[in-house]
């Protein structure tokens, strides 16, 4: 089970300090939301920010590209220090060449889908990706309410993974708090992106430990062992 604080909820006036705080929290991944003001109605930060914070952390940099033309950004983020690059399946025909380019850059491949998007759309790519990110809010802003209609997608992605013996991780992103993290874990998720709930916490380390305990308690694999 992987905990991934989202830097979007950090104090932007102190990004280096906040990155160090995340590094000392026990979380494995740092989730980096890149918004272009076109694919989503917001703009966040670019490769220069990722390059600046890279020396402050050994965490796995999980770069989430909510961008309409990610092909122009893959190499700059790879050079800036991304470990994984996530693009959206809503980009249609552009997806296959994008996944290929990310692999060629030697980075882990992530694919994401928005709440209105059918889970069936990602099925053709499941054997090519390292990570599937199921958006549990409509992307563009932190602090939104979790959309419960997305839970069956997690279950479906988990069933396909088991049936086809695939190894992609299943992430959830948006409105993930101490309650919804448990519900996502029970549905089969194993990567928990959380901005407001974690970065807004005065003691980030304690918040990460609490979320980790909750997702482990709801881990279906552990539940099976108990039976
Ligand atoms: C939203 C982003 C999320 C967001 C999560 O478009 O992709 O990563 O930062 O923030 P919270 O946990 O506050 O919903
Ligand atoms: Zn995100």
């Amino acid at each position: 089970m992987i905990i991934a604080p989202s830097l979007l909820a950090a104090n932007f006036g102190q990004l280096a300090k906040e990155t160090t705080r995340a590094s000392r929290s026990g979380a494995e991944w740092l989730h980096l939301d890149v918004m272009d003001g076109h694919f989503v109605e917001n703009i966040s930060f670019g490769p220069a920010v990722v390059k600046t914070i890279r020396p402050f952390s050994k965490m796995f940099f999980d770069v989430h590209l909510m961008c309409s033309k990610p092909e122009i950004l893959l190499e700059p983020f790879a050079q800036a220090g991304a470990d994984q690059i996530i693009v959206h399946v809503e980009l249609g025909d552009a997806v296959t060449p994008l996944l290929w380019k990310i692999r060629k850059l030697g980075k882990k491949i992530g694919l994401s889908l928005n709440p209105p998007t059918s889970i069936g759309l990602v099925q053709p790519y499941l054997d090519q990706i390292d990570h599937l990110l199921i958006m549990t809010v409509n992307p563009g802003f932190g602090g939104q309410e979790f959309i419960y209609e997305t839970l069956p997608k997690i279950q479906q992605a988990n069933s396909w993974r088991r049936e086809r013996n695939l190894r992609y991780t299943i992430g959830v992103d948006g409105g993930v708090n101490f309650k919804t993290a448990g519900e996502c874990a029970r549905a089969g998720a194993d990567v928990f992106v959380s901005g407001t709930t974690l970065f807004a916490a005065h003691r980030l380390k304690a918040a990460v430990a609490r979320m980790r305990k909750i997702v482990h308690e709801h881990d279906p694999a552990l539940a099976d062992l108990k039976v």
Side-chain angles (χ1 to χ4, degrees), residues 2-7 15-25 27-34 45-65 74 76-87 102 106-110 130-131 133 169 191 193 199:
I2 292 168
I3 309 293
S6 167
L7 198 71
L15 280 180
K17 212 169 153 201
E18 291 279 66
T19 303
T20 304
R21 190 161 76 104
S23 294
R24 294 182 181 146
S25 73
E28 294 87 351
W29 293 10
L30 187 62
H31 184 79
L32 301 164
D33 289 306
V34 178
F45 46 79
V49 168
V50 174
K51 189 173 181 198
T52 304
I53 62 171
R54 181 72 271 189
F56 294 89
S57 173
K58 291 193 172 52
M59 295 172 87
F60 183 89
F61 274 20
D62 178 42
V63 174
H64 179 192
L65 297 181
L74 299 180
F77 278 106
Q79 283 171 0
D83 295 295
Q84 178 163 268
I85 300 176
I86 303 171
V87 296
I102 297 169
K107 302 299 173 183
K108 295 270 186 192
I109 299 174
D130 301 294
H131 182 56
L133 184 66
T169 47
V191 177
V193 175
F199 263 112

Side-chain angles (χ1 to χ4, degrees), residues 6 8 31 33 35 64 66 135 139-144 173-176 193-196:
S6 167
L8 191 70
H31 184 79
D33 289 306
M35 302 174 178
H64 179 192
M66 288 159 275
M135 291 306 301
F141 301 90
Q144 300 181 75
D173 185 12
V176 176
V193 175
S194 180
T196 313

